[in-house]
Amino acid sequence: GLVRFLFMPVWFGQHVHLLPPAIASLGLWLRTITAVRGTVTSAPDFAFRLAARAVPPDGIDLTSLRFATNGGEPVRASSIAAFELRFACPGVVRSGYGLAEATLGVAAMMPGEVLRVDARGHVGCGKVVPALRLRVMCDDIEQAVGEVGELEISGSHLFEGYYDPTLPGGFDRSVFTGDGWLRTGDTGYVDAD
């Protein structure tokens, strides 16, 4: 979040509006987008879900939004549908997957990309970002397309490990496999695309 929503906008000379990340500020979040004609935002699924239930749509105008990323926890298609319906912003909220250990981004949908929901109700998170590789593992065996397992990632922008000055080299690398892949602890699968 720090890279995407503070460093990048500042680098490109754009305005940034930082708000307290709390359930109580969901209305403030949407009123700020309305007031400043915000174009990009992001929040975890629960924020979209609760805003669709609790924030009155009166006075909220999200037509300036070009893209809103839903990530940080499992994404529900129903949260996206309810939010887009309540605030009249169809096609704006799209899912993404990331973790701090990968400098946030692992996979993301692009603006305008059609939301994909499988037969089990799982929302697709888009394609893996170019600098990363992703594999799905179960019992040290790489899984085939469509098979569920633990997501492992590899790439140049992963962190070194958890800082621990008591260890040689200063980092606990126990979350990495012997061949250098980061075990995310998250489960998922890849489809044919």
Side-chain angles (χ1 to χ4, degrees):
L2 181 65
V3 171
R4 183 174 181 200
F5 290 106
L6 184 60
F7 295 159
M8 282 180 56
V10 169
W11 175 262
F12 289 108
Q14 301 300 310
H15 295 278
V16 176
H17 299 271
L18 301 175
L19 302 170
I23 291 173
S25 66
L26 290 174
L28 175 61
W29 170 45
L30 302 180
R31 287 189 301 277
T32 300
I33 293 169
T34 299
V36 303
R37 304 306 295 149
T39 58
V40 177
T41 192
S42 181
D45 189 77
F46 81 85
F48 290 100
R49 187 173 61 254
L50 291 178
R53 291 180 187 164
V55 176
D58 304 329
I60 303 290
D61 178 2
L62 303 184
T63 56
S64 63
L65 267 181
R66 293 190 328 239
F67 196 68
T69 301
N70 179 333
E73 63 185 37
V75 176
R76 295 180 176 133
S78 60
S79 299
I80 293 174
F83 184 90
E84 290 181 344
L85 179 65
R86 184 169 180 97
F87 299 106
C89 56
V92 169
V93 182
R94 291 297 173 256
S95 56
Y97 169 66
L99 57 160
E101 295 84 350
T103 320
L104 184 63
V106 173
M109 294 186 71
M110 300 305 293
E113 189 175 346
V114 176
L115 191 66
R116 295 169 69 168
V117 182
D118 71 10
R120 296 173 280 192
H122 298 131
V123 178
C125 290
K127 295 190 184 291
V128 175
V129 297
L132 281 179
R133 294 178 300 151
L134 180 138
R135 67 185 184 188
V136 180
M137 302 294 287
C138 186
D139 297 326
D140 295 324
I141 299 170
E142 189 165 354
Q143 300 300 287
V145 168
E147 295 296 320
V148 176
E150 181 180 5
L151 303 178
E152 292 184 356
I153 54 177
S154 175
S156 61
H157 67 275
L158 298 182
F159 80 143
E160 298 257 346
Y162 296 105
Y163 180 66
D164 185 344
T166 65
L167 295 174
F171 293 98
D172 175 357
R173 294 190 47 85
S174 62
V175 293
F176 287 91
T177 64
D179 57 350
W181 290 73
L182 173 67
R183 292 185 299 265
T184 68
D186 295 324
T187 57
Y189 70 93
V190 295
D191 61 22
D193 293 336

